[in-house]
Amino acid sequence: MTSTTGAPSGQATPYVEIDRAEWARLAPAMATPLSETEVVQIRGLGDRLDMREVEEVYVPLSKLLSLYAKGTQDLGRSTSQFIGDQALRTPFVIGVAGSVAVGKSTIARLLRELLSRWPDTPRVELVTTDGFLYPNEELERRGIMDRKGFPESYDRRSLLRFITEVKSGAAEVRAPFYSHLRYDIIPTAQVVVRRPDVLIVEGLNVLQPAATASGLAISDLFDFSIYVDARTRDIESWYVDRFMALKRGAFSNPNSFFNVFADLSDEEAADQARGFWRSINEPNLLENIRPTRSRAKLVLRKDSDHTVSSVLLRKL
């Protein structure tokens, strides 16, 4: 185990870096609570998640998160006793950030299943920030439809209000529902969160700083935060591969927003995907997403095959 994060030798860093082999040594004493079928169901399009990755990376991570959650619960209980407040226990909130196509959605789903197996966190909910994108009609009105996924395309005040209500211990909180098939908010559907032990909030920009110097950032309400990291060229490759897989699958659905791409040749589709990446997703990654990496408490570094090569954990 080292305390370097790729910084020049001798430079101070707030992280301890644990390479894959050292991290995997934490796993043998922990049983894997998921079956191979469940892992396949959790795996996202283009991800190469397998049982070994679950056992060596994510089971230890879920145990670490359960320790943080229990520690936070204990601290909250002690604080309530100290000030004489009988307030209800509030959810432990985890933010998961990273680029499009980096695998953060799969990781969030996997952590939801793993954390629910630990005794102190049986009720785990997952919400993605896609539901807090402005509807396409509003994006068109503002002239930012081509910047969907950039910070300004989200209703950040609504997202902040949602997490604040969950964190306050509200019995029931509702979030908008986003359809990837229609590529838009569905006004007649909602996601309902009912006082979970853990809430996982997954999205591109969840670690963004506050919009104003005196404002509150979404991440200020997180108890723990994870950034999923990889080389830009690898993420581009994964994005193109996923686009091609969608072309052969979901895009063929006549109700899909992207049905217009279903009849492209493979060469044309790959060119279209690279165009989307270079004009939208890569600039968003470089300008808005990657600069928030240092705000995370834990960074998962991925290699070109989607496996985690090292873990960076912020020192306490």
Side-chain angles (χ1 to χ4, degrees):
M1 186 179 298
T2 67
S3 58
T4 61
T5 59
S9 179
Q11 181 172 315
T13 170
Y15 290 97
V16 57
E17 181 171 4
I18 309 167
D19 69 28
R20 170 62 179 261
E22 291 173 312
W23 183 262
R25 291 192 192 104
L26 302 174
M30 306 175 197
T32 302
L34 300 179
S35 68
E36 191 162 357
T37 298
E38 288 173 308
V39 171
V40 170
Q41 292 171 339
I42 291 167
R43 186 167 57 211
L45 194 63
D47 287 337
R48 302 172 191 172
L49 183 70
D50 58 22
M51 289 297 290
R52 179 179 178 184
E53 192 77 357
V54 172
E55 292 167 356
E56 294 187 355
V57 176
Y58 296 105
V59 171
L61 176 56
S62 72
K63 177 59 176 177
L64 177 68
L65 290 171
S66 74
L67 291 174
Y68 270 80
K70 185 177 186 305
T72 302
Q73 291 166 5
D74 292 344
L75 178 60
R77 187 161 44 248
S78 297
T79 302
S80 294
Q81 291 173 352
F82 177 72
I83 65 176
D85 178 28
Q86 300 302 313
L88 293 172
R89 185 178 72 179
T90 61
F92 184 83
V93 181
I94 302 169
V96 180
S99 172
V100 63
V102 81
K104 64 186 181 303
S105 297
T106 294
I107 291 169
R109 289 193 299 270
L110 178 59
L111 290 177
R112 176 183 59 190
E113 297 306 316
L114 291 173
L115 281 167
S116 68
R117 267 68 169 186
W118 292 106
D120 295 301
T121 56
R123 292 177 295 117
V124 184
E125 299 279 0
L126 168 62
V127 170
T128 73
T129 59
D130 292 340
F132 294 90
L133 285 160
Y134 287 115
N136 289 351
E137 183 179 4
E138 178 64 16
L139 294 174
E140 294 281 9
R141 189 188 70 80
R142 296 182 180 216
I144 57 172
M145 187 65 180
D146 61 345
R147 291 180 67 80
K148 196 169 187 176
F150 282 70
E152 64 268 27
S153 66
Y154 292 88
D155 186 346
R156 286 176 282 184
R157 280 187 290 186
S158 292
L159 177 56
L160 183 60
R161 185 166 56 248
F162 168 80
I163 299 175
T164 299
E165 290 180 15
V166 172
K167 193 63 180 168
S168 72
E172 182 177 287
V173 187
R174 296 174 180 267
F177 178 80
Y178 183 84
S179 168
H180 286 275
L181 181 68
R182 297 188 187 179
Y183 197 57
D184 202 357
I185 301 296
I186 305 299
T188 57
Q190 290 181 315
V191 177
V192 182
V193 173
R194 295 184 175 92
R195 199 177 284 156
D197 298 305
V198 176
L199 173 67
I200 300 173
V201 182
E202 177 261 310
L204 299 171
N205 299 294
V206 296
L207 295 181
Q208 285 286 315
T212 63
S214 59
L216 187 68
I218 295 162
S219 58
D220 290 334
L221 299 173
F222 293 163
D223 298 289
F224 200 93
S225 52
I226 298 168
Y227 184 92
V228 187
D229 195 24
R231 289 179 289 269
T232 303
R233 66 176 180 272
D234 290 334
I235 305 175
E236 177 182 3
S237 176
W238 300 338
Y239 177 81
V240 173
D241 288 346
R242 188 176 73 175
F243 190 93
M244 298 300 291
L246 286 168
K247 171 188 172 292
R248 294 186 290 270
F251 291 177
S252 62
N253 186 324
N255 294 318
S256 172
F257 179 87
F258 294 101
N259 180 253
V260 292
F261 303 121
D263 294 329
L264 294 179
S265 69
D266 284 353
E267 183 178 354
E268 290 170 333
D271 286 343
Q272 183 70 70
R274 283 189 285 268
F276 284 147
W277 172 260
R278 290 166 186 170
S279 64
I280 300 172
N281 296 293
E282 184 176 26
N284 195 20
L285 170 61
L286 300 180
E287 295 168 16
N288 301 303
I289 302 169
R290 185 166 289 155
T292 69
R293 178 176 55 191
S294 61
R295 296 170 59 83
K297 287 189 177 179
L298 183 140
V299 178
L300 294 173
R301 282 184 169 165
K302 283 188 166 188
D303 275 339
S304 58
D305 62 356
H306 262 293
T307 61
V308 172
S309 59
S310 63
V311 177
L312 278 64
L313 177 64
R314 187 179 290 275
K315 301 171 185 174
L316 293 175

